[in-house]
Amino acid sequence: MRFVLTDEQREFARSLDALLRAADTPGVLRAWAAGDHGPGRALWRRLGDAGVFALAVPEAYGGVGPLPVEAAVACVELGRYAVPGPVAETLAAGVLLAGAGGPAAKEWLPGIASGAAVVSLRLPGHGPYALDADAADAVFTVDGDGLRRAPGPGELSVSADPARRLFRPGPGGEPVAGGRAVEAASRAAGDWASFATAALALGCGEELLRATVAYVKQRRQFGVAVGSFQAVKHRLADTLLGLEFARPLLYGAAVELTEELSGGPAGAGSPEPGARVGSGTGPAEGPPGSGLGTGRGAGSLGAGSGTGPLGAGAAVAAAKAAAGEAGYAAARTALQLHGAIGYTEELDLAWWLRRARPLRDAWGTPSACRARVLAG
């Protein structure tokens, strides 16, 4: 199957690229890591104005979603610029609260959609931490079939990335919702958090590769650019292949999530190889060099567009394993080819290097994701 981004989806990606290029994200990252959330919150609001967080919020609450394909497009861009804050968690909170319903959904979802609210999550089966809980307006935790709002950020733990601050929310808190609806919403939210993190990891890896290619073109040894050495070329080619193999899995997971939302059987009626998905009319290409996209026109998919036998959860796990490991491999390549300068504090690249491994392991380690794929 061939995925094709529509004109609107590619324009959305370009608009986010322009917004983030002008935002000085390395400066925002440094401030965020130092505990100054002001620049990050200002950027968050601009992203909300661009419609990023509305992609996970239903129209009834002021959003435009859930739109998994567009969410993937957005998160790849945010990962490329290493936007700080609980991006995946806020998107997943939109899914969680919409599924749980009740007063909390009416209270928080409009703010999430507009970018006015920053939310973090702790879900069962995904570790004890809530990302950037000190910067969040609310931290929601799920325990069994009970959804609560945590009483505070909790205890700060050490993180490999100083701009990804991990907190252990304490017990108790205000009950928000309960019952089977919370259990189902929690599972869906976990899939969305893993899916968004996969897209962030892919974008992070792409930026690491771009920066490394640029560096080896200008760094010289023995009178020539080190990028001309065959061993360097092979390492970069392997890194590119890992990222490009992860990309279709990410968009395939987006299609499966869309099928799940529409109530259709994922994997049923799959089109023939080379067929386009949906009714989009954009050129048959995705991000530069990928040959991929999601022909999802006007926010909907054509009938029978499943990508294979995997359900949405397993498809998301496959995407997360591939994107997480590809992003981390890109970080290892970048560090080796930059040499000692690569991990110096003065070089902006260090922020992407330190982000790749936490993104690989957050919301599903590679081993956990592979086990889920094997379990179907």
Side-chain angles (χ1 to χ4, degrees):
M1 175 182 291
R2 189 180 189 188
F3 299 108
V4 185
L5 284 174
T6 66
D7 290 337
E8 292 81 4
Q9 289 161 348
R10 286 198 304 278
E11 181 57 36
F12 181 45
R14 285 192 290 268
S15 69
L16 291 176
D17 176 71
L19 185 158
L20 293 167
R21 192 183 310 118
D24 181 28
T25 53
V28 174
L29 277 164
R30 286 184 169 87
W32 192 275
D36 178 8
H37 302 131
R41 292 295 296 254
L43 176 58
W44 195 277
R45 287 189 291 271
R46 293 199 295 275
L47 291 169
D49 291 340
V52 169
F53 304 109
L55 296 171
V57 177
E59 293 182 13
Y61 297 100
V64 296
L67 297 177
V69 176
E70 284 75 6
V73 170
C75 286
V76 169
E77 293 300 320
L78 270 60
R80 188 175 289 125
Y81 284 91
V83 172
V87 172
E89 290 75 10
T90 297
L91 290 170
V95 175
L96 174 66
L97 292 172
K106 296 178 181 179
E107 178 182 359
W108 288 100
L109 287 177
I112 289 174
S114 68
V118 178
V119 176
S120 192
L121 282 181
R122 186 188 68 187
L123 299 178
H126 292 285
Y129 303 111
L131 179 66
D132 293 319
D134 61 330
D137 299 299
V139 178
F140 292 100
T141 67
V142 175
D143 183 12
D145 63 355
L147 172 61
R148 293 177 178 270
R149 181 182 174 187
E155 178 187 355
L156 176 64
S157 299
V158 177
S159 172
D161 180 358
R164 286 176 57 88
R165 294 161 60 85
L166 301 176
F167 291 81
R168 290 176 177 263
E174 175 191 354
V176 172
R180 292 184 177 179
V182 169
E183 293 185 52
S186 176
R187 288 192 294 270
D191 285 344
W192 267 76
S194 183
F195 170 69
T197 304
L200 292 169
L202 179 61
C204 179
E206 288 180 347
E207 175 55 23
L208 285 162
L209 178 60
R210 184 208 63 77
T212 305
V213 169
Y215 181 72
V216 299
K217 285 181 178 179
Q218 59 91 21
R219 180 186 172 191
R220 302 182 68 81
Q221 285 185 345
F222 310 110
V224 297
V226 298
S228 65
F229 300 155
Q230 189 176 51
V232 172
K233 291 180 179 179
H234 286 179
R235 184 68 182 264
L236 292 170
D238 288 342
T239 302
L240 176 62
L241 284 173
L243 294 168
E244 294 305 324
F245 278 128
R247 194 187 313 277
L249 290 174
L250 177 68
Y251 285 115
V255 172
E256 293 287 354
L257 284 172
T258 305
E259 287 282 359
E260 185 177 72
L261 290 166
S262 67
S270 299
E272 296 178 358
R276 298 185 58 187
V277 179
S279 56
T281 58
E285 58 186 63
S290 70
L292 301 171
T294 63
R296 193 169 164 229
S300 62
L301 279 172
S305 55
T307 59
L310 293 180
V316 167
K320 178 61 172 57
E325 293 205 316
Y328 183 53
R332 292 173 63 88
T333 296
L335 183 58
Q336 180 172 8
L337 297 185
H338 276 81
I341 193 175
Y343 56 80
T344 57
E345 192 71 31
E346 292 78 8
L347 192 71
D348 290 342
L349 186 76
W351 294 97
W352 280 258
L353 287 171
R354 288 183 289 195
R355 177 151 295 206
R357 184 164 185 171
L359 287 176
R360 183 196 69 175
D361 294 338
W363 296 104
T365 64
S367 60
C369 288
R370 290 192 183 96
R372 188 174 185 188
V373 172
L374 290 174

